Each structure stands twice: as structure tokens, then as C-alpha cells.
Amino acid sequence: MNAPATLAELLPQTVEFQLDGKTVQGLEGETILRAAKRHGVDIPHLCFKEGLRPDGNCRACVVELKGERTLAPSCCRTVAAGMEVQATSERALKSQKMVVEMLLSDMPDQGYKWIGDDATLQHGELSEWAAKLDIAVRPELKALRREQPAADVSHPAMAVNLDACIQCNRCVRACREEQVNDVIGYALRGQDSKIVFDLDDPMGDSTCVACGECVQACPTGALMPKSHIGSQQVDRKVDSVCPFCGVGCLITYNVKDEKIVSVDGRDGPANHSRLCVKGRFGFDYAHHPQRLTKPLIRKPGVPKTFDDAPRPGDWSEAFREATWEEALALAAGKLKGLRDTHGRKALAGFGSAKGSNEEAYLFQKLVRTGFGSNNVDHCTRLCHASSVAALLEGVGSGAVSNQVNDVEHADLIFVIGSNPTANHPVAATWMKNAAKRGTKIVLADPRRTDISKHAWRTLQFKADTDVAMLNALIHAVIDEGLVDEAFIRDRANNFGALRENVKGYSPEAMAPICGIPAETLREVARAFATAKGAMILWGMGVSQHVHGTDNARCLIALVTVTGQIGKPGSGLHPLRGQNNVQGASDAGLIPMMFPNYQRVDNAGAHAWFEKFWGMPLDEKPGYTVVEIMHKALAPDSDPHKVRGMYIMGENPAMSDPDLNHARHALASLEHLVVQDIFMTETAWLADVVLPASAWPEKTGTVSNTDRMVQLGKRALDPPGDAKPDLWIIQQIATRMGLPWSYEGEESGVAAVYEEMRQAMHAAISGISWARLQRESSVTYPCLSENDPGQPTVFIERFPTADGRVKLVPADIIPAAERPDADFPYVLITGRQLEHWHTGSMTRRATVLDALEPMATASMNQADLEAMGLQPGDVITIRSRRGEVAIHVRRDDGTPHGAVFVPFAYYEAAANLMTNAALDPFGKIPEFKYCAVKVERGGVPMPAAGYGTGATGDNPPQSWTAST
């Protein structure tokens, strides 16, 4: 066995060279450009950008090297011992200035990208270098200016101004090599050469996914956000975190006239400046005219009904405006009255994974100490509850073992039940980058999604056969002698029971069940077991089943028997769907756990929190999201009937399964308080609506899927009389008799965070508020101020009682509802790239709504032809619970006999049809599988004021999906 590398061996070696006559140190493999910058010599450069591969095509960065006839591009040449570099010699400067002057002379008179406040620097970095080099363009050069290309403004988000293009190819590298979308190319040669989109299509007609990486890379504004046409100058820049998926990209808001006008990617550890379409262009929902700006109280006698569609822009028939004092007194007073009259089980609360850790912590504390029960939950119940149940049972922790970008160290990436290019686009870029370097991607999913283009093998298994396929892989590993015997001996329990259980699950026996050839299953099992590092990433396609916990148990078993956990490029990673679903769970926003996953029925944990909070606490787990809905419809004789609810930032009237049942339950409550930024479908059923703050309007922390605690700062004030969520929670608490006092806007947030840090001492004790102010992002576990955090965990032991993983065998459990003659199709639900969760934010973002303005259902071509359908036709999808009429879209990645529907659209709410059957362990509904029938025709429901004004006459860009 080789000895471990020493610190000296791991550190880059230095080389000594001459720079402008001075002896300096460079790092081995470092470019001259970077080394010079470290030593205070700033060499002009335009085609070079940090994060992109050096290309050396602009020649603005040339330097003189002793002994070489030609000048060398410093962005491409690496330093060498004894090298003598002249970066500011007469010859080098003359060439640098000539390049910059010639490029500047070809610029249009009107620029597109301003630098600082100087209106003369309107050609971005090019103008900036011209100013630094004291260049004034000679008139005779301007006379030779090329014929200027026309602008292309066909895209909803971006303008293409090729008259300002210097052909630096930054956009090509950003699109092809960083985001790996392969849309932008460099076509033709000589004076005809130009940047093109696909086959020289207008940008709006191309396959562009609007990540905006090209805009961020462009040095001159040849590619620019439309929101900056006229000027790119802003009043201030505010650092924050993206408010959408769980990747947790760090961003900078650009604010002008008290509105966010654009967003830049920041060099955070999860994204390294990359963003997706939602993160870059989905910001203006915060300024939407439908924002709630005053407290609202339901008018007497107005029924709670969905007979008419909710009217988010016209609520005056159902609600009246009120003062904060009146609304808070009614909201808290009736909750308190129900508690005191009917007991502590009469109330429940849904918190939010779209808010901050501090809000989640304070909300669950309110429910436990003010309401008096553990009836508190949030959207993790609807996404990864079964994954967390299996992980806590098996490895003792519900968090990921390795971070997403650790795929760069993997030989094999196993993606199952996830569509990362749509749901976690920036995470998908790390996977695509790894594939380009030779890493094998295995996609396992009933749908063939976009990541399959980059996959080594695609296992398009039959829906609902996850356990059969995964047990076949485990069987193959054991059968072919590929088990990591040392890992099993030293770090695992119950291997014997697992081995016995999978004996009947050979690939040959499972192939007819799961639809994957036996040899393919064995081939994948061998590759997984023999890889230096193999990593599993999964999504809600694994968790949202009645056997979701069993699916995750199989994934735990697969990494355990192969020893693929506790080292770089390996492990288990459930990709979190919302920006703070990890943090909200960590903070205790779940009914059976105090903060940091300490069980409420554990006597020691219970006693500690009673002392910490100074209040008696319920010792029994509370009800989950779906169970609370059942309890809301329980008879009055039930002592645990839920009669009142406080919902903050969640939308169960859209996100719960079997929506007719869920909406009936919400409407049946004696008192419902909803705190949100829009009149959501849930708020439409409320008695009191409290206007809250959007993410850009608050300071707080969130924890991403990688276990990074990250700080977002307030960029705007809430509109009108809307208030910060943390303030509202405290006002409710005070009126329910809790003596809370977290004073001050930012100091109050800091005080809540520091209290939460004590409650989660074993995870984040080393992450102080002051440290977050300095560093923005810190990975946990982090136990001291000097601890950098642990990106990879379980290296030596698991956080279980004996330090070993517990293997739990799983058998095939069919879906609660199977297709039959009356309902022959399978309904699969999920997200799409442009929209997120229930659409309350993204459908009010102008660009996102323009890109995907209406609901569509996806079916493959064979099924469309069998029904005589064309893409764009209307179909009606029916289940035993509800139906929707919806336009159909061709997607050959959707399997035969299945239909895929995104759940972000009120007018075609997929969850009207889904099944509320629960996984017995994670208590998660079976969103991903139910039986439906598909019929020609129907009348789609109008959007009824949702979104930004799109109608059925404004279809998506393409009725045919890309895969």
C-alpha cells in the first residue's frame, strides 16, 4: 500500500522566473498571465476569463520571452524555471495597444456594456483596457469599420448585438465547455466569420436554454440582458443566494431605482459563477403587481370555494384590507382560542423551505411551544421524506455524504429518478463536465431525459420497478465476487440478511420485470463496483412512491456492498428540490424531529429542549402534511381533529396529492392563517392573509443540498405594508403568550441564528454569524471557527450508535394504484426547467413565463399516433380523483403508456389526479405513479390571471421536446 502523500507533496511546486527584470515565484502549471497578476503586473486580456479554458485568440495579452522570435500569449503559456518575461517592454506594449485599438475602432458608436460610472467606458472590458493603456482610436481606423450586423432581439431575455462582437469566443466556451449546452458556435472564416446559434438561427428560435452564461462571459455587451438595454449602470449590488432549487448558487442582485434589473452569478462553492435560467432571469416576480401589500381579512359570509378560479389580482370580492394590529389580533386570537378550547392537537403549522433557516427554526419553535404540539411540517414531506427516513435508519444522517461537484473525482455517476438538467441545472453542468473528461454517467429513469445525451448507459426501466432493478444490481455485485469484503467486515451490519434477500433478484429474473436486459444490468453493476469512485445522485423519482424508503434502502445497500462511500467521488446524494429544504429540515421543521434530527420521543432530547426553550413540550410525534389534511376532515368527536392552521410560504392547495381532498380540508378549517407574498391557491381559502417578504427582501441563511450554510442579504424593502416573515412569526408568538424578543432587523436575524446554532451544536457550532458575514458560505459539519467544514463525511465511521451502516433488505411492493382497462396510462409528475414548485413565483417572472407560458403534457410519438394526435392538440387526462384538459407535447423520452405533466400550473393542476397513498416510513405521497386515462379533446381552463398574461394562443417555443 502506498504511503499517504505529505502536505508538501500535495502543495503546488514553485518555479523561479524573471518578470520585467525582477525575480519572482510562479506556481508549477500556472500561466504567465496569472503569475503576473499575483505580482501586481496586470497584462491586458480580452479572450481570457477566470473559469474558462484559455484560448489565446485575441492576442491582447502577448508578452516578450527572451530567446523566442514571436510574442507569446500570456494566458496560454505557463511559467518555467529561468524564463525571462517582458510584459511591459516597448515591443510587447506596442502589440498590446495595437490589438486593443483595432478592436475598439470597429466598435459601434453606441455601447452596450458600461464599466463603472464613466460613460466613456461603454464597450465594457475593451474600453477599460483602452483607458488603462491610454489609447485613442485614430480617425483613419474608424473609416475602415465593417458593415454593422443588425441586432437580434428575438429572445425574451437576451439581446444579440454582434456589431460589438470581438470574436473572443468566450461565449462559445461558456456555452459548450462550461454549461455544455452546445448552442453557440463560431462559423465561417475571414471577414465573414461570426458567432452563431445552432445553424445560424435567431437566438429566440435556437435550442438555447437561457442560462445566460454567454451574457456573463461577454466582455463588450455583444450579448446582454434585455433589462440593461440603454444602460448597464446600477445603483448598488447586493450579494445573496438564488431563491430557487437546492443547488444554492451564490448570486449578486443588480439594483436600480429600487428594482432588481439583473442577476450575476457569484463565485460560490456550489456554482463558481454559473447560473440557470431561473437564477439569472427569474428575479422580477418580486416586483409583480399581484404582490400582497396589506393584511387581508375574509369578508363575512364569503364561502371558501374553488367553484370559481382564485383571482390573485382581484381578491376584493372575498377579502378586505385591514391594519396589521387588527389582522394579527384576529389571526393569533382565534388560533389561541382553538388551542384553549379544543386542546393542543387542534392546531397545526406548515412552514416553508423557500424561506430562511431562521424563519424555519422560529416557526417550528412557535408550533411546539405556542401551539403545544409537534404538528409542524413542510415540503420535505412531499419530496425527500422517504430518502431521509432511509438515510437516518441506515447511515444515521439525513444529509448528503458528498457534494455535487465531487463528481469530478468519480469514475462513474449513477443518476436515478432525477432530471438534473431541468431541476438542478447547475449541478448538471458538473456532471456534463465530468462526462467530457471521461467519467461514465449511468441514467436510470423511466423517462429518457436530457442528461441521457451525455450518459454511458441509460437504464430506462419500467415505472415502479426501482427495487427490482436495484436489487438486481446488488445481486450481480455479490454473484460476481465484487463485494468490498473489508468494508462489509469493518463498517456494515446485516449483510447476511441482504445477501439472502437478493438471491431471488438475479438480473436474469428481474429483466422482464424492470425492462432492462440482464447483461446491461451486470455491465453497470461491474462498472459501479470496480470504479475508483462511484457516486449516486437521486431525485423525487426515487422518493415519491409508496416504496420510496425501500428505493433509498437499496441505494444505501448498493454503495455499501461496493465500498463506494466515505471517500472522494463516491457516496449518496439526494438532490434537494427547494432552496432551503435541507436547512428547514435541519432546523426542525418536521413533526417527529427537533432541530438537528433529534427525535421528539427521545427522552434525553425532549428534556434538553424543554430546558432550552423553558416550556413543556409534547413528547409524541406530530402529524405530517397529508395526515393533517385527513385530521382537518375528521369528525368533531375526534380529540385530535385539526381545527386551525398557520401556513407560511407553502401552497398545499397546489402541492398536495388529490387536490380536491386537500382543498376541501383547507376550506373546512375553522381558522386558516396564510402568510405569503401572493394570493396563492392556499391563501384564497384563508381567513386571514398576512403579506410577507420575498427572498430579495430579507437577510438570512439557507442550507443547500451540499450541506453549505449560506448567507443572503436584503437587497430591497418589502412593498407597501408587507413585513419581514421573521417579524410576523414573532408577532403571532407574542399574541399567543410567548415572551419572545429578537430585536432589530439584522440583529434579530443574528440572534435567532445564534440560538439555532446552540440547538444544532453538533453540526454548525463552528459557523458563527460573524463568520458567515465574512465567508458567505460554510460547509457543515463544522465544529470550530477554524474548521473549514467537511465536504465528505462518513470517512471513518457512520453517525449511528455503533458507527456502522445498517443494511435493510427490500422487496418489491407495487404501486398503490396500477393501470387497468379503464385507466391504462401511468401519470408521472415533475418539474420543468423554466418553472419551479407550484409556479407562484416563476409564473410571475416575465422571462420564465414567456419561455413556458402554458401547461403541456408530454407523450411519445407512438402513443400520439395511436390516438391520432398532433403536438399542440388538446387532451383530457382523468384519474379516479380528478381530471385536467391540457395541450399535448411530443417527447420521445416519455415511455410508452405514460404521460408526464408538470405541476406548476393552476389551470392544469397535475395534483388533482395524483394519489395520496403514503410510504409507510417516510409518510410521503405517491406523486410519481397513478393510473389515468387519456382522451382526445377537452377545454383547457384559462389561466385566470396567473402568470404574466400568457394565454392559450401563446404556445411554448416548441411543441416537441429536445430529447
Side-chain angles (χ1 to χ4, degrees):
M1 186 175 181
N2 294 329
T6 64
L7 181 61
E9 291 171 330
L10 292 173
L11 292 174
Q13 302 300 303
T14 59
V15 295
E16 197 172 84
F17 71 104
Q18 296 283 317
L19 177 62
D20 289 339
K22 297 180 180 178
T23 301
V24 297
Q25 298 283 332
L27 303 176
E28 188 174 1
E30 186 178 32
T31 63
I32 296 171
L33 182 68
R34 284 196 175 106
K37 188 172 183 178
R38 283 196 305 104
H39 291 287
V41 178
D42 214 1
I43 302 172
H45 55 276
L46 290 164
C47 71
F48 174 81
K49 184 179 184 294
E50 290 289 349
L52 298 179
R53 173 184 54 79
D55 209 34
N57 66 52
C58 76
R59 279 337 200 229
C61 71
V62 291
V63 295
E64 194 172 359
L65 300 181
K66 185 177 180 180
E68 296 193 10
R69 180 178 59 84
T70 59
L71 298 175
S74 61
C75 68
C76 295
R77 288 291 295 271
T78 56
V79 297
M83 177 184 281
E84 295 185 23
V85 181
Q86 291 289 336
T88 57
S89 68
E90 182 181 354
R91 183 185 176 201
L93 280 172
K94 183 178 180 180
S95 182
Q96 293 166 7
K97 289 182 177 182
M98 178 188 69
V99 169
V100 172
E101 183 184 9
M102 291 181 69
L103 290 173
L104 192 63
S105 70
D106 202 35
M107 286 290 104
D109 294 328
Q110 175 64 44
Y112 303 109
K113 189 166 188 174
W114 278 254
I115 297 290
D117 296 323
D118 189 342
T120 64
L121 303 182
Q122 58 179 298
H123 296 302
E125 294 173 38
L126 181 57
S127 292
E128 188 175 33
W129 282 116
K132 287 180 180 179
L133 296 170
D134 194 24
I135 293 172
V137 179
R138 287 167 287 171
E140 59 267 28
L141 286 179
K142 287 187 177 182
L144 298 175
R145 183 180 296 173
R146 62 180 167 166
E147 182 180 347
Q148 301 289 3
D152 172 9
V153 291
S154 59
H155 195 278
M158 295 169 279
V160 183
N161 311 299
L162 291 186
D163 53 350
C165 179
I166 60 173
Q167 298 181 358
C168 63
N169 280 356
R170 279 196 197 176
C171 59
V172 177
R173 283 171 282 153
C175 183
R176 286 188 167 182
E177 299 174 17
E178 191 170 44
Q179 290 273 350
V180 198
N181 289 323
D182 293 325
V183 178
I184 303 179
Y186 188 51
L188 308 177
R189 291 294 180 267
Q191 67 177 9
D192 297 319
S193 61
K194 63 177 180 177
I195 296 296
V196 297
F197 301 90
D198 289 340
L199 300 177
D200 202 8
D201 299 315
M203 191 184 202
D205 295 335
S206 73
T207 57
C208 172
V209 296
C211 68
E213 206 66 44
C214 57
V215 166
Q216 186 159 294
C218 181
T220 64
L223 293 165
M224 66 179 293
K226 279 187 170 179
S227 57
H228 278 308
I229 289 177
S231 172
Q232 291 198 354
Q233 294 172 297
V234 299
D235 298 331
R236 64 180 179 273
K237 294 175 174 284
V238 182
D239 290 341
S240 191
V241 187
C242 179
F244 295 111
C245 82
V247 173
C249 299
L250 296 192
I251 61 174
T252 297
Y253 288 122
N254 297 311
V255 181
K256 184 176 184 179
D257 298 329
E258 295 309 310
K259 287 192 174 183
I260 299 168
V261 292
S262 64
V263 174
D264 295 325
R266 200 153 47 104
D267 190 14
N271 64 312
H272 292 293
S273 301
R274 303 178 185 191
L275 293 177
C276 76
V277 60
K278 291 188 288 290
R280 194 176 302 277
F281 297 116
F283 54 82
D284 63 340
Y285 72 92
H287 310 301
H288 197 278
Q290 291 177 359
R291 281 292 301 272
L292 295 172
T293 60
K294 290 183 179 295
L296 304 176
I297 292 175
R298 179 172 292 276
K299 292 180 177 179
V302 176
K304 301 177 180 181
T305 177
F306 268 83
D307 292 343
D308 295 321
R311 295 181 291 280
D314 179 19
W315 40 257
S316 59
E317 290 183 20
F319 296 91
R320 66 171 175 85
E321 293 182 350
T323 65
W324 270 105
E325 183 58 39
E326 182 189 11
L328 289 169
L330 177 60
K334 290 206 70 172
L335 290 172
K336 185 174 183 293
L338 289 171
R339 180 197 67 186
D340 296 345
T341 303
H342 298 284
R344 296 175 180 272
K345 300 290 188 181
L347 301 181
F350 289 170
S352 177
K354 297 189 286 291
S356 69
N357 285 322
E358 295 74 30
E359 293 160 0
Y361 172 81
L362 214 58
F363 190 93
Q364 62 86 34
K365 182 182 176 184
L366 165 63
V367 173
R368 291 189 158 106
T369 61
F371 292 7
S373 77
N374 293 308
N375 290 345
V376 62
D377 210 349
H378 77 292
C379 74
T380 193
R381 191 66 42 209
L382 308 177
C383 56
H384 267 304
S386 53
S387 302
V388 171
L391 289 166
L392 287 170
E393 169 192 68
V395 302
S397 169
V400 302
S401 68
N402 295 59
Q403 298 176 340
V404 172
N405 56 21
D406 202 33
V407 295
E408 69 174 307
H409 302 299
D411 287 343
L412 187 145
I413 305 166
F414 192 85
V415 180
I416 179 169
S418 174
N419 183 7
T421 54
N423 297 341
H424 303 89
V426 172
T429 67
W430 305 120
M431 302 176 203
K432 292 186 284 186
N433 293 157
K436 288 178 75 74
R437 293 191 298 267
T439 300
K440 294 177 178 176
I441 293 179
V442 175
L443 171 65
D445 199 290
R447 298 173 66 221
R448 181 180 287 267
T449 56
D450 189 66
I451 201 73
S452 66
K453 297 175 184 176
H454 309 273
W456 168 66
R457 295 290 181 268
T458 296
L459 308 180
Q460 192 172 7
F461 61 92
K462 296 177 183 177
D464 195 46
T465 64
D466 313 60
V467 169
M469 182 190 69
L470 294 170
N471 272 347
L473 295 176
I474 297 167
H475 175 104
V477 170
I478 296 172
D479 183 57
E480 298 192 14
L482 301 174
V483 172
D484 188 329
E485 300 287 355
F487 193 92
I488 294 295
R489 180 188 66 242
D490 298 336
R491 304 194 59 190
N493 292 329
N494 211 33
F495 173 68
L498 178 77
R499 180 177 54 206
E500 286 300 310
N501 189 70
V502 299
K503 281 184 177 178
Y505 288 91
S506 69
E508 289 72 21
M510 293 302 103
I513 295 174
C514 68
I516 307 299
E519 184 48 44
T520 302
L521 291 169
R522 289 188 177 274
E523 180 186 31
V524 169
R526 289 183 208 114
F528 191 94
T530 57
K532 179 183 68 175
M535 188 172 177
I536 299 178
L537 301 104
W538 73 93
M540 291 180 288
V542 165
S543 59
Q544 289 180 335
H545 292 274
V546 292
H547 48 79
T549 302
D550 282 336
N551 292 345
R553 285 166 173 162
C554 291
L555 298 177
I556 294 168
L558 181 59
V559 299
T560 301
V561 298
T562 55
Q564 296 288 10
I565 190 168
K567 60 184 181 180
S570 71
L572 298 158
H573 191 119
L575 288 157
R576 264 55 185 204
Q578 293 198 32
N579 60 319
N580 200 35
V581 73
Q582 180 68 57
S585 300
D586 295 344
L589 204 59
I590 43 182
M592 65 287 296
M593 303 283 186
F594 291 127
N596 207 34
Y597 305 98
Q598 301 173 76
R599 290 198 62 87
V600 299
D601 52 8
N602 177 283
H606 186 268
W608 191 93
F609 277 97
E610 280 197 331
K611 181 179 179 181
F612 185 58
W613 288 332
M615 295 285 289
L617 301 174
D618 187 1
E619 71 280 359
K620 294 182 179 179
Y623 295 119
T624 63
V625 164
V626 176
E627 291 171 331
I628 287 170
M629 294 303 178
H630 291 316
K631 284 296 181 182
L633 292 172
D636 286 342
S637 58
D638 188 337
H640 292 168
K641 177 181 173 66
V642 172
R643 299 171 185 270
M645 284 191 69
Y646 176 23
I647 299 177
M648 173 194 154
E650 287 287 275
N651 193 10
M654 274 290 287
S655 61
D656 271 29
D658 190 1
L659 283 183
N660 287 319
H661 175 273
R663 292 169 179 175
H664 181 204
L666 291 167
S668 299
L669 291 167
E670 294 179 35
H671 188 53
L672 174 59
V673 179
V674 174
Q675 176 176 323
D676 217 312
I677 63 175
F678 294 113
M679 179 59 71
T680 64
E681 292 77 8
T682 301
W684 189 250
L685 300 174
D687 295 283
V688 182
V689 181
L690 304 175
S693 50
W695 178 251
E697 298 156 5
K698 63 183 71 172
T699 293
T701 65
V702 287
S703 300
N704 73 350
T705 191
D706 284 334
R707 293 182 278 103
M708 297 171 185
V709 182
Q710 305 193 116
L711 178 64
K713 296 183 179 179
R714 182 178 62 84
L716 304 166
D717 290 327
D721 289 338
K723 297 289 186 183
D725 292 86
L726 214 57
W727 180 87
I728 302 173
I729 297 168
Q730 291 185 72
Q731 294 298 313
I732 297 287
T734 300
R735 285 164 174 78
M736 294 199 72
L738 296 175
W740 289 0
S741 181
Y742 302 95
E743 299 290 338
E745 186 172 334
E746 186 165 322
S747 60
V749 178
V752 176
Y753 176 82
E754 290 296 346
E755 180 182 318
M756 181 180 70
R757 188 160 71 112
Q758 294 179 62
M760 298 173 58
H761 189 268
I764 62 172
S765 58
I767 310 177
S768 66
W769 184 258
R771 182 174 180 181
L772 284 170
Q773 295 277 10
R774 294 192 308 270
E775 300 180 28
S776 293
S777 176
V778 185
T779 298
Y780 74 84
C782 180
L783 304 183
S784 73
E785 280 283 342
N786 298 321
D787 184 353
Q790 300 175 38
T792 301
V793 293
F794 315 148
I795 295 172
E796 296 179 349
R797 71 185 311 276
F798 294 95
T800 55
D802 60 3
R804 299 165 70 91
V805 63
K806 178 185 178 183
L807 295 172
V808 181
D811 287 309
I812 296 175
I813 300 174
E817 181 179 83
R818 308 282 293 178
D820 56 25
D822 293 327
F823 297 92
Y825 278 81
V826 171
L827 173 67
I828 302 173
T829 68
R831 294 192 176 103
Q832 59 188 142
L833 173 64
E834 293 79 10
H835 290 302
W836 178 75
H837 202 49
T838 64
S840 61
M841 291 159 60
T842 55
R843 294 196 67 199
R844 291 177 172 92
T846 306
V847 168
L848 303 181
D849 192 62
L851 290 170
E852 281 290 348
M854 60 187 293
T856 59
S858 297
M859 298 175 66
N860 68 41
Q861 184 177 9
D863 285 346
L864 292 177
E865 289 178 350
M867 294 186 65
L869 292 167
Q870 294 292 325
D873 288 348
V874 175
I875 59 173
T876 297
I877 309 172
R878 289 190 174 92
S879 78
R880 292 177 172 87
R881 290 155 296 279
E883 66 181 58
V884 299
I886 191 171
H887 293 273
V888 72
R889 187 179 217 152
R890 175 185 161 189
D891 175 13
D892 291 341
T894 300
H896 170 66
V899 56
F900 173 81
V901 180
F903 56 84
Y905 298 86
Y906 165 79
E907 61 272 27
N911 285 330
L912 286 168
M913 300 175 287
T914 51
N915 194 351
L918 298 180
D919 175 290
F921 302 97
K923 302 294 182 69
I924 190 170
E926 188 157 53
F927 286 110
K928 284 293 185 284
Y929 197 101
C930 74
V932 295
K933 65 173 65 174
V934 179
E935 301 170 336
R936 291 172 54 90
V939 181
M941 181 185 291
Y946 288 76
T948 56
T951 69
D953 296 324
N954 183 15
Q957 288 180 294
S958 171
W959 287 110
T960 303
S962 59
T963 301

